[in-house]
Every structure is written in structure tokens, then in C-alpha cells.
Amino acid sequence: MKIVLASGSPRRRELLSLITENFAVCPADADESLRDGAPLADEVVRLSRLKAEAVMQSHPDAVCIGSDTMVTIDHLPLGKPKDRADAADMLRRLRGRTHEVLTGLAVLTPDGGAHTLHTCTRVTFRDFAEDELAAYLATGEPLDKAGAYGIQGHGALLIKGIEGDYYSVMGLPVAPLYTILRDIHAV
């Protein structure tokens, strides 16, 4: 069965390759605006499904996988920073605190089936110093990541611990996705 990942993310591609090497990549063109007042866990699932649906239009015979990851603190989403100063502000807000990373997953099948879920992982940052923040910003890594950090990169140096699924923080809940793909006989 043909599988298409509705994402251009190298991390998601790497994580899906833990399950199968037999997939194509097709970045989704979907409106990722959040609905006012909607629960954020519902939003990551909705956005994941929108991405999968967008890709399914051009790949109707494939299993289409969409995913969306959101860093939240105080029940507010932190998206990708606009610039270095915005990244610094986000990281200062996370410093010494625990936040949640919500990751949605949608797997759509050619027969009209839809399998969706979300994960919630709690990430605690150390109370890192300003010079450590400056060093991390200098890597450039924070600029293209939700919440301004990558757990799989230099951002790991800022983290005290996690409670939940590491791979969901990277952007794709691997074990739940494998289970879905196995159950629909796609792998």
C-alpha cells in the first residue's frame, strides 16, 4: 500500500523511516490558523487531518499521514518564532518551567477511513543561564521550531526531563503511528 507523508519536515521523514522506508513525501498546503477558543488538543488533530486531506486530493490511492506539533505553556500556543528576539522571549518563558507539547496525528485511507489521535508530553526546562541561552540562539536551531527549541538537537541541553513520548516532541508519535499502519495492513 502506498504511503504519503504530508510534511516537508526532515524530522518526521526520519521518524517515519523507523516504521517503513516505503513512503513518499508531499508537503501539505493547508491553512494552519488556529480557531479562537478551540481546545489546543483538538486543534492539533484538526490541523493534522487538514494536512492529510490536502495531500489525499493529489494521492487518492494512498494512505496519507498528517501531523502537527504545538508547544503550549499556560494554555497558550507557542509557534515558530518570528526572529531571534522572539525565540529568546519564548525560551525565557519556558526556562525553569514545565510546558506541554501536543502532537496530533491523522492517518487517512483510500477507502475513506480516518484514524486520529493526539499525544501530550510534558517537558521541563532547566533554569539555564543567559549565556547558555545566547549560545543556543547562536546555533540557529530555535528559529524554525515550535516553541523555539528542538529536543533532538542542541535544545536537549536545556531540558531537565520529559514525561511522555519523546518522538511526539520531535513531531511524530512513532509507536501509535506504527500501530495504526500495522492494523490497516499498510506495513
Side-chain angles (χ1 to χ4, degrees):
M1 193 175 296
K2 183 178 173 184
I3 297 172
V4 178
L5 177 63
S7 174
S9 163
R11 289 167 302 285
R12 288 191 177 114
R13 190 175 18 238
E14 175 188 340
L15 293 175
L16 182 54
S17 71
L18 296 173
I19 299 170
T20 181
E21 292 290 334
N22 185 25
F23 67 92
V25 172
C26 181
D29 183 19
D31 179 5
E32 296 188 45
S33 302
L34 298 177
R35 295 177 300 182
D36 287 340
L40 297 177
D42 293 349
E43 286 296 277
V44 293
V45 172
R46 182 182 67 82
L47 294 174
S48 299
R49 186 168 180 144
L50 281 177
K51 292 173 184 180
E53 288 171 344
V55 168
M56 183 154 261
Q57 289 179 10
S58 56
H59 298 277
D61 60 333
V63 171
C64 294
I65 301 167
S67 189
D68 190 74
T69 300
M70 183 184 306
V71 173
T72 69
I73 191 158
D74 302 324
H75 306 290
L76 298 171
L78 296 181
K80 292 180 183 178
K82 295 182 289 265
D83 54 29
R84 186 180 165 122
D86 192 30
D89 289 343
M90 286 184 190
L91 292 166
R92 285 185 186 104
R93 188 168 185 186
L94 298 172
R95 178 171 45 199
R97 298 183 63 198
T98 299
H99 63 277
E100 293 182 339
V101 178
L102 303 172
T103 297
L105 177 67
V107 179
L108 305 182
T109 59
D111 64 2
H115 307 267
T116 61
L117 60 86
H118 84 276
T119 62
C120 178
T121 303
R122 293 174 54 82
V123 179
T124 302
F125 269 28
R126 306 185 291 104
D127 189 13
F128 50 86
E130 280 295 309
D131 64 328
E132 293 174 293
L133 173 61
Y136 183 49
L137 290 169
T139 69
E141 184 179 279
L143 297 179
D144 72 338
K145 310 245 182 330
Y149 75 94
I151 195 170
Q152 73 282 0
H154 298 284
L157 303 176
L158 307 177
I159 296 170
K160 183 177 179 180
I162 71 167
E163 181 183 329
D165 183 21
Y166 172 82
Y167 295 109
S168 289
V169 179
M170 281 182 66
L172 195 68
V174 174
L177 176 57
Y178 167 73
T179 302
I180 292 168
L181 293 176
R182 182 201 63 205
D183 290 350
I184 64 172
H185 307 290
V187 292

